[in-house]
Amino acid sequence: MGAELAFDALADPVRRQILGILADRDECSVGELVESVGIIGRTGVSSHLRVLRASGLVTERKDGRFRYYSVDPTGSAREVLEVLHSLFQGALADAGRAAELQTHDGSPSAQSA
């Protein structure tokens, strides 16, 4: 269920951009994210952060009147990575087998080498 919410959250390009910024910088305030994103204001960034937090992709830390956000490596981000890893591992294995078969059956890739 967590991965499902996370994939829904990641469907939005601005949320992916915010997540990328957080991954690069470890932790950011809303103000820092607004400056980095540049295409939406504080209210928009805050709305996107709520979705990312509800989906388990980011965590929030309060320090006085400031809130700092970071990627939650123990949340649904871990599930998303596991799903993507298994998908790509299978696809890479299939591609490797297909390439091996083409090399051995005399196809054009074997003849051009």
Side-chain angles (χ1 to χ4, degrees), residues 39-66:
I39 57 173
I40 58 173
R42 181 174 294 274
T43 304
V45 167
S46 293
S47 294
H48 285 296
L49 285 167
R50 269 192 299 280
V51 172
L52 289 168
R53 205 173 73 235
S55 68
L57 290 169
V58 301
T59 60
E60 175 188 71
R61 179 180 67 84
K62 295 178 184 178
D63 185 10
R65 64 184 190 103
F66 296 100

Side-chain angles (χ1 to χ4, degrees), residues 21-41:
I21 293 165
L22 292 174
D24 287 343
R25 299 187 190 168
D26 294 331
E27 185 178 72
C28 288
S29 69
V30 174
E32 292 169 323
L33 287 168
V34 169
E35 289 177 16
S36 296
V37 171
I39 57 173
I40 58 173

